[in-house]
Amino acid sequence: MTISPIVDRRDFLRVIAVAGGGVLFGAYARRLDAAPAGAPLVADPFVPNAFIRIMPDGKVTIIGKNPEGGQGIKTSLPMIIAEELDVDWKMVTVEQAISDQSKYGVQFEGGSLSTPMNYDLMRQIGASARFMLVAAAAKTWGVPDSECTTAHGAVTHAASKRTLPYGKLLATAATITPPEMVPAVNGPPGVSKLALKDPKNFKILGTRVPQVDDKKIVTGKPLFGIDVVVPNMHYAVFEKCAVFGGKVVSANIDRIKAMPGVKAAFVVEGGDALDGLLSGVAIVADSWWHAKTARAQLQITWNEGATAQESSEGYTKRATELSKLPAEKVVRKDGDIDAALKGAAHTAEGAYYYPFISHATLEPQNCTANFKDGKLEIWAPTQMPQPGRQLVSKTMGIAENDITIHLTRIGGGFGRRLKNDYMVEAAWIARQAGLPVKLLWTREDDMHHDHYRQAGYYWLKGGVDAKGALVAWRNHFVMDSVAANQFPARFIPNYQLETSALPHGVPIGALRAPGSNGLAFVIQSFIDELAHAAGKDPLQFRIDLLSQTLVASTGPADARIMDAERMKGVLELVREKSGWGKKKLPKGTGMGVAFHFSHAGYFAEVVQATVSAKGVLKIDKVWVAGDIGRQITNLSGAENQGQGAAIDGISEALGQEITINAGRVVQNNFDSYQLIRMPVAPPVEVHFRLTDNPPTGLGEPALPPVIPALCNAIFEATGKRIRSLPIGTQLNG
Amino acid sequence: MSVSFKVNGKAVTVDAPSDMPLLWVLRDVLDLKGTKFGCGVAQCGACTVHLKGVPVRSCQIPVSSLNGLEITTIEGLSTDGTHPLQIAWQEIDVPQCGYCQAGQIMSAAALLEQKKKPTDADIDQAMGGNICRCATYNRIRKAIHRAADIKNGGASTTAPSGAAK
């Protein structure tokens, strides 16, 4: 291996985000740490920015900036860099970034935002390094940059038939001034001065690239938060009140301290925020099994608080009462709903409900923390490291600069790990115990202390005119709030959206396609009811609805408002792919369709389902049609997301329900909280329609439409309308 | 208590509480992190290992019953990640979060020992105890069929590149 000259320590690249509130995004060059004494000499890599290291042998290391929880981002963002850097994917090794906003910019997994927020930026990160390598080759040969081209990790000057691989250009490249870059973090694309590739020439993007961690996953290598080991690590369990927000009054701490293997046991006073550090009892032991065994002997007197009076039954009773009263708030009012309903040729009416559900990530919440000399080091499977750091800093009085957060692979996010309750618990317990600690929740802890998908109650009335056009829609939503522009607002001339609040003590959080995962069920099921009232084909009825004259938007302008033409495009695609209306289906079999716009993604889906005479449901097949813009980053990951989202949605619809009794969750584990399994999971076909729009995310938007598509298929098969989730035993008998 | 048994062909002796499940012996005593904890009550299959070739939930097997037994974990399925299932899983890019996949592969490996060419119904029956929260079931099914082909002499492509550190 050759040794390249020492490169001056300097900033090669400085990126200023002009939009989004003036966040300083410094992508600084960093030399690798100096080799320890006695270590063999290693060649210097070329480090054009915080994301790329190129070695003399041409191997490239690319940093994956965002947390990886199964959405594939640790593979897809580096793919974008590699594409513009113009190296072969087989030359690339991917490394997970630690949490460092000053180096990598905003790092989080959520809202299907990793792709739209980083697509242009990652291209520029790769292109800027390529620019420097091209300039280095041009300088070496004494030719203009413009006469040089790149491919497969090498620069070529065609006229003189000379080629140099990147690995031979490192020292010179390090002397080149990097191009000025203005990334479009929140702003419009195309503000860079760099020449980016014509997408027609993409070699990596749009292909099927397996996840970079696949080999480690299939060979059982440690990757996840739960796998972290640090020197002298101890194990912790933390018992909180089964009633949300309940506080410890007293506990038999002395008894617990005497249990085998226990190193520390103490009461944590905690605060009131349900997503912060709550009151409870911590047990730290030499093994997790010892800690858990000691926990079984815990006797705690709790002050359960007011939430102990609440129950699911009580919420339903209160919601029904509220539905009979004038709504608390009229969120939107177009036309004259009462007159339109009165004048409608056909009307429909329905009360809809969906329950609280749990994220149930298969890796239970956990975190490892070490507090030493005033500094905290954390290893966390978190979707939101920076807010986690802020929570820990604020709760424990430790400066943010004194907290290091390592991002581990996440054993399922789905929005659960947007919260950092487990992180602040681990940090607090480690400091108080004076030991490095891995906190691990049991499955029961996880199910009892989630931040659940909000439940919802809806009372709907709608009407169609003599021609079958949807002319009236009234929705009284009892629980919290809905956006004024939420579909079908704007598409119906007489439209009224009303809400009434139903306050409760259950902690609520975002779950994959938050809001949408419940709303789509209600809206797309009721549209189906109206299609049948009008005597129209449900798919054509939707196309017709999307073609109606638009009512003006109200409220603040929303860049992410639905474009009807793009939605019609995916409806037509799913019509074609599913053979909608062209199949002769046997008795007891039906096809249902639904669409939903969320997270800037357009999805229309068809489900074919069969219900036996005894009420046994079989889901035969699902067709997914999506439009997430002009470019699919990784086709393998995209198809996997589409299939997973559809089956995940079906799982929610079939059996998932969290019920509350006496202020606590009734379900404990996967015996009482049923997730879908192999024999029930249908085959899912995923199709994408490429349109000339910026690439957007895919973690979420494919999920919402599948639930109403399934319920609509059940209606076609049986004539039974599902208005309440989960479907559970509703089809029996 | 002290027990002696074999893990992935190697004799081990561990000293652990008699009721400690094999899962935690593997993970926290022997530092074999491939076997995962998901539920602790034999409902999710993430902790599946082989006991004399039979797939079992390691969260349900106490240390006290381990004497003299032979255990295989995901780490011992092959020496170098070249079991047909491990190849097929990478070829088809099965994982999303990946947390359940070791358990899925161990259940599938036992199936392939029983059935040379498993049908979809065989797969449903063998894999029904393994939850994939990301719902990669379509690809798991495809990868089991593919692994059966590889095992029966079908060509396998080389493992994909772009490995992570």
Side-chain angles (χ1 to χ4, degrees), chain B residues 72-145:
Chain B
T72 306
T73 70
I74 186 73
E75 290 92 342
L77 190 62
S78 67
T79 51
D80 51 0
T82 54
H83 187 283
L85 285 162
Q86 290 170 319
I87 292 169
W89 241 251
Q90 292 179 77
E91 241 181 60
I92 289 163
D93 189 25
V94 173
Q96 285 186 30
C97 88
Y99 193 76
C100 74
Q101 301 293 353
Q104 303 278 0
I105 290 172
M106 293 311 283
S107 289
L111 170 65
L112 289 190
E113 289 304 314
Q114 296 294 315
K115 305 255 179 180
K116 204 165 173 227
K117 202 162 172 51
T119 62
D120 279 346
D122 294 333
I123 291 172
D124 284 346
Q125 196 178 5
M127 305 303 292
N130 289 79
I131 291 173
C132 175
R133 173 65 183 86
C134 306
T136 62
Y137 297 115
N138 280 200
R139 285 189 176 185
I140 292 172
R141 185 185 299 281
K142 193 173 167 191
I144 294 172
H145 286 307

Side-chain angles (χ1 to χ4, degrees), chain A residues 105-117:
Chain A
V106 180
Q107 297 168 278
F108 71 98
E109 180 207 345
S112 296
L113 284 166
S114 287
T115 298
M117 284 177 72

Side-chain angles (χ1 to χ4, degrees), chain A residues 214 359 443 636 640 676-677, chain B residues 38 43 93 96 133 137-138:
Chain A
D214 276 357
H359 296 83
R443 172 56 51 196
S636 178
N640 212 355
I676 197 165
R677 291 167 187 270
Chain B
Q43 286 289 319
D93 189 25
Q96 285 186 30
R133 173 65 183 86
Y137 297 115
N138 280 200

